[in-house]
Amino acid sequence: MRKLVSILGSVIGLSILLAYLNFAFGWIMLSERLSLVLAFAIGPVAVFGTLALSENLTRVFDTSTLRLGTTFLVIAFAVLTLMLTMQQAIFAEYQQLLDANAAPEAQASLKASFALTNQVQLGADVAFDIFYSLGIIFVSSALVRGKGFERLIGAYGIVAATSLLVLNLWFFPTPPAAAGSIDMGPATIVWWVALIVLDGRLSKREASDDV
Protein backbone atom coordinates (compact mmCIF):
# COMPACT_ATOMS: atom_id res chain seq x y z
CA MET A 1 0.00 0.00 0.00
CA ARG A 2 2.82 2.39 0.89
CA LYS A 3 4.55 1.67 -2.42
CA LEU A 4 1.31 2.36 -4.31
CA VAL A 5 0.83 5.68 -2.47
CA SER A 6 4.42 6.64 -3.27
CA ILE A 7 4.03 5.83 -6.97
CA LEU A 8 0.73 7.71 -7.15
CA GLY A 9 2.29 10.68 -5.40
CA SER A 10 5.15 10.83 -7.90
CA VAL A 11 2.89 10.42 -10.95
CA ILE A 12 0.39 12.97 -9.69
CA GLY A 13 3.17 15.37 -8.76
CA LEU A 14 4.69 15.26 -12.23
CA SER A 15 1.26 15.56 -13.85
CA ILE A 16 0.45 18.65 -11.81
CA LEU A 17 3.78 20.25 -12.68
CA LEU A 18 3.18 19.67 -16.39
CA ALA A 19 -0.40 20.95 -16.16
CA TYR A 20 0.76 24.07 -14.33
CA LEU A 21 3.55 24.79 -16.81
CA ASN A 22 1.23 24.27 -19.77
CA PHE A 23 -1.39 26.56 -18.20
CA ALA A 24 1.25 29.23 -17.51
CA PHE A 25 3.16 29.08 -20.81
CA GLY A 26 0.62 27.59 -23.23
CA TRP A 27 2.94 24.97 -24.72
CA ILE A 28 0.08 22.80 -25.97
CA MET A 29 -3.01 24.49 -27.36
CA LEU A 30 -6.13 22.99 -25.77
CA SER A 31 -9.80 23.89 -26.00
CA GLU A 32 -10.90 26.62 -23.60
CA ARG A 33 -13.14 24.25 -21.64
CA LEU A 34 -10.46 21.56 -21.30
CA SER A 35 -7.91 24.18 -20.23
CA LEU A 36 -10.27 25.36 -17.50
CA VAL A 37 -10.91 21.82 -16.26
CA LEU A 38 -7.18 21.09 -16.06
CA ALA A 39 -6.49 24.42 -14.36
CA PHE A 40 -9.21 23.88 -11.75
CA ALA A 41 -7.92 20.34 -11.13
CA ILE A 42 -4.42 21.56 -10.21
CA GLY A 43 -5.33 22.50 -6.63
CA PRO A 44 -7.32 19.40 -5.56
CA VAL A 45 -4.90 16.99 -7.21
CA ALA A 46 -1.91 18.85 -5.75
CA VAL A 47 -3.39 18.35 -2.28
CA PHE A 48 -3.47 14.59 -2.87
CA GLY A 49 0.06 14.60 -4.28
CA THR A 50 1.39 16.68 -1.38
CA LEU A 51 -0.12 14.33 1.20
CA ALA A 52 1.21 11.28 -0.64
CA LEU A 53 4.74 12.71 -0.83
CA SER A 54 4.58 13.81 2.80
CA GLU A 55 3.59 10.33 3.96
CA ASN A 56 6.73 8.87 2.43
CA LEU A 57 8.98 11.68 3.71
CA THR A 58 7.55 11.37 7.23
CA ARG A 59 9.09 7.90 7.56
CA VAL A 60 12.54 9.52 7.30
CA PHE A 61 11.95 13.11 8.41
CA ASP A 62 9.29 12.76 11.11
CA THR A 63 9.46 16.33 12.38
CA SER A 64 6.96 18.99 13.37
CA THR A 65 8.32 21.30 10.64
CA LEU A 66 7.53 18.71 7.95
CA ARG A 67 3.98 18.32 9.23
CA LEU A 68 3.57 22.09 9.47
CA GLY A 69 4.92 22.54 5.95
CA THR A 70 2.51 19.93 4.61
CA THR A 71 -0.40 21.74 6.28
CA PHE A 72 0.63 25.07 4.80
CA LEU A 73 0.92 23.55 1.32
CA VAL A 74 -2.53 21.95 1.56
CA ILE A 75 -3.99 25.35 2.51
CA ALA A 76 -2.01 26.98 -0.31
CA PHE A 77 -3.47 24.69 -2.97
CA ALA A 78 -6.98 25.26 -1.62
CA VAL A 79 -6.40 29.02 -1.95
CA LEU A 80 -4.99 28.41 -5.45
CA THR A 81 -8.27 26.79 -6.50
CA LEU A 82 -10.17 29.79 -5.15
CA MET A 83 -7.86 32.19 -6.96
CA LEU A 84 -8.06 30.36 -10.32
CA THR A 85 -11.84 30.05 -10.31
CA MET A 86 -12.18 33.71 -9.28
CA GLN A 87 -9.67 34.80 -11.91
CA GLN A 88 -11.27 32.93 -14.78
CA ALA A 89 -14.78 34.08 -13.79
CA ILE A 90 -13.62 37.71 -13.85
CA PHE A 91 -11.81 37.29 -17.17
CA ALA A 92 -14.76 35.52 -18.83
CA GLU A 93 -17.33 38.13 -17.76
CA TYR A 94 -15.03 41.00 -18.72
CA GLN A 95 -14.45 39.58 -22.20
CA GLN A 96 -18.18 39.07 -22.76
CA LEU A 97 -18.99 42.61 -21.69
CA LEU A 98 -16.15 43.99 -23.77
CA ASP A 99 -17.38 42.18 -26.88
CA ALA A 100 -20.95 43.38 -26.31
CA ASN A 101 -20.00 47.05 -25.86
CA ALA A 102 -18.30 48.35 -28.97
CA ALA A 103 -18.55 52.05 -28.07
CA PRO A 104 -15.15 53.48 -27.03
CA GLU A 105 -16.67 55.17 -23.96
CA ALA A 106 -18.25 51.92 -22.77
CA GLN A 107 -15.03 49.98 -23.31
CA ALA A 108 -13.02 52.58 -21.38
CA SER A 109 -15.44 52.28 -18.47
CA LEU A 110 -15.26 48.49 -18.58
CA LYS A 111 -11.47 48.54 -18.58
CA ALA A 112 -11.44 50.80 -15.53
CA SER A 113 -13.90 48.51 -13.73
CA PHE A 114 -11.84 45.45 -14.69
CA ALA A 115 -8.63 47.02 -13.35
CA LEU A 116 -10.30 47.51 -9.97
CA THR A 117 -12.05 44.11 -9.84
CA ASN A 118 -8.91 42.29 -10.96
CA GLN A 119 -7.17 43.34 -7.74
CA VAL A 120 -9.37 40.83 -5.89
CA GLN A 121 -7.87 37.81 -7.63
CA LEU A 122 -4.38 39.36 -7.40
CA GLY A 123 -4.86 39.57 -3.63
CA ALA A 124 -5.89 35.91 -3.55
CA ASP A 125 -2.79 35.11 -5.61
CA VAL A 126 -0.57 36.71 -2.95
CA ALA A 127 -2.44 34.76 -0.24
CA PHE A 128 -1.54 31.59 -2.16
CA ASP A 129 2.11 32.69 -2.42
CA ILE A 130 2.29 33.28 1.34
CA PHE A 131 1.07 29.81 2.32
CA TYR A 132 2.91 28.18 -0.61
CA SER A 133 6.24 29.81 0.26
CA LEU A 134 5.96 29.06 3.98
CA GLY A 135 5.00 25.46 3.18
CA ILE A 136 8.13 24.95 1.08
CA ILE A 137 10.29 26.69 3.70
CA PHE A 138 9.03 24.43 6.52
CA VAL A 139 9.37 21.22 4.49
CA SER A 140 12.84 22.29 3.34
CA SER A 141 13.80 23.02 6.95
CA ALA A 142 13.15 19.36 7.71
CA LEU A 143 15.14 18.20 4.66
CA VAL A 144 18.28 20.20 5.53
CA ARG A 145 18.65 17.96 8.58
CA GLY A 146 19.39 15.09 6.22
CA LYS A 147 22.53 14.56 4.24
CA GLY A 148 23.78 14.97 0.67
CA PHE A 149 20.96 15.30 -1.85
CA GLU A 150 18.37 15.82 0.88
CA ARG A 151 20.27 18.75 2.37
CA LEU A 152 20.77 20.27 -1.09
CA ILE A 153 17.03 20.14 -1.83
CA GLY A 154 16.30 21.70 1.54
CA ALA A 155 18.76 24.55 1.09
CA TYR A 156 17.51 25.29 -2.42
CA GLY A 157 13.88 25.24 -1.27
CA ILE A 158 14.53 27.69 1.56
CA VAL A 159 16.33 30.16 -0.74
CA ALA A 160 13.80 29.91 -3.60
CA ALA A 161 10.69 30.09 -1.38
CA THR A 162 12.06 32.91 0.79
CA SER A 163 12.86 34.92 -2.35
CA LEU A 164 9.35 34.26 -3.69
CA LEU A 165 7.74 35.38 -0.42
CA VAL A 166 9.88 38.52 0.02
CA LEU A 167 9.39 39.73 -3.56
CA ASN A 168 5.61 39.20 -3.47
CA LEU A 169 5.26 41.09 -0.20
CA TRP A 170 7.66 43.84 -1.26
CA PHE A 171 5.84 44.63 -4.52
CA PHE A 172 2.31 43.97 -3.20
CA PRO A 173 -0.24 44.36 -4.72
CA THR A 174 1.64 44.35 -8.04
CA PRO A 175 3.04 40.95 -9.10
CA PRO A 176 6.88 41.04 -9.09
CA ALA A 177 7.14 40.32 -12.83
CA ALA A 178 4.71 43.15 -13.64
CA ALA A 179 6.79 45.46 -11.43
CA GLY A 180 9.90 44.68 -13.47
CA SER A 181 11.36 42.24 -10.95
CA ILE A 182 11.77 38.45 -11.05
CA ASP A 183 8.98 35.91 -10.67
CA MET A 184 10.46 33.21 -8.44
CA GLY A 185 7.40 30.94 -8.83
CA PRO A 186 8.88 28.88 -11.70
CA ALA A 187 12.08 28.43 -9.66
CA THR A 188 10.12 26.44 -7.08
CA ILE A 189 9.20 23.93 -9.80
CA VAL A 190 12.80 22.70 -9.65
CA TRP A 191 12.28 22.02 -5.94
CA TRP A 192 9.18 19.93 -6.62
CA VAL A 193 10.96 17.89 -9.31
CA ALA A 194 13.86 17.26 -6.93
CA LEU A 195 11.39 16.31 -4.17
CA ILE A 196 9.73 13.76 -6.46
CA VAL A 197 13.16 12.33 -7.32
CA LEU A 198 13.99 12.13 -3.61
CA ASP A 199 10.68 10.37 -2.97
CA GLY A 200 11.59 7.75 -5.58
CA ARG A 201 15.03 7.25 -4.06
CA LEU A 202 13.57 6.82 -0.58
CA SER A 203 11.08 4.26 -1.90
CA LYS A 204 13.89 2.26 -3.55
CA ARG A 205 15.94 2.44 -0.38
CA GLU A 206 13.03 1.16 1.68
CA ALA A 207 12.39 -1.65 -0.82
CA SER A 208 16.04 -2.75 -0.70
CA ASP A 209 15.98 -2.72 3.11
CA ASP A 210 12.94 -5.01 3.11
CA VAL A 211 14.69 -7.59 0.93
Side-chain angles (χ1 to χ4, degrees):
M1 184 62 182
R2 286 183 176 180
K3 184 176 181 180
L4 177 60
V5 171
S6 177
I7 293 174
L8 284 175
S10 298
V11 171
I12 290 173
L14 288 172
S15 299
I16 284 298
L17 293 180
L18 292 174
Y20 167 78
L21 291 173
N22 188 68
F23 181 74
F25 300 107
W27 291 336
I28 302 176
M29 296 303 297
L30 303 172
S31 67
E32 181 179 352
R33 188 58 54 183
L34 180 57
S35 296
L36 286 177
V37 170
L38 290 176
F40 296 160
I42 291 176
V45 178
V47 169
F48 181 88
T50 298
L51 292 175
L53 288 171
S54 177
E55 183 176 339
N56 201 20
L57 292 175
T58 301
R59 294 195 290 275
V60 180
F61 308 96
D62 188 13
T63 64
S64 58
T65 52
L66 176 60
R67 291 189 291 274
L68 185 59
T70 301
T71 302
F72 269 79
L73 286 173
V74 168
I75 295 174
F77 289 124
V79 174
L80 176 65
T81 303
L82 173 64
M83 185 273 289
L84 287 175
T85 53
M86 185 186 303
Q87 176 194 77
Q88 294 306 310
I90 293 173
F91 287 177
E93 185 66 17
Y94 169 67
Q95 191 59 53
Q96 288 182 7
L97 293 173
L98 196 64
D99 293 340
N101 294 271
E105 296 81 4
Q107 291 197 357
S109 178
L110 283 171
K111 289 179 180 178
S113 299
F114 171 76
L116 180 60
T117 307
N118 194 48
Q119 294 302 310
V120 177
Q121 67 92 9
L122 289 179
D125 189 17
V126 175
F128 159 72
D129 287 323
I130 291 173
F131 282 94
Y132 179 73
S133 299
L134 290 174
I136 293 178
I137 290 171
F138 283 124
V139 172
S140 296
S141 297
L143 296 179
V144 293
R145 301 175 187 177
K147 59 179 86 171
F149 186 55
E150 300 157 0
R151 184 173 297 177
L152 179 62
I153 297 174
Y156 177 86
I158 291 174
V159 172
T162 300
S163 300
L164 174 65
L165 180 60
V166 170
L167 288 175
N168 273 277
L169 294 179
W170 182 264
F171 291 105
F172 179 84
T174 305
S181 184
I182 302 173
D183 181 8
M184 291 299 295
T188 63
I189 299 298
V190 177
W191 182 82
W192 282 102
V193 172
L195 192 66
I196 292 171
V197 172
L198 175 61
D199 179 71
R201 292 175 61 170
L202 292 177
S203 297
K204 289 182 179 179
R205 184 191 307 173
E206 184 179 355
S208 63
D209 291 341
D210 292 338
V211 175

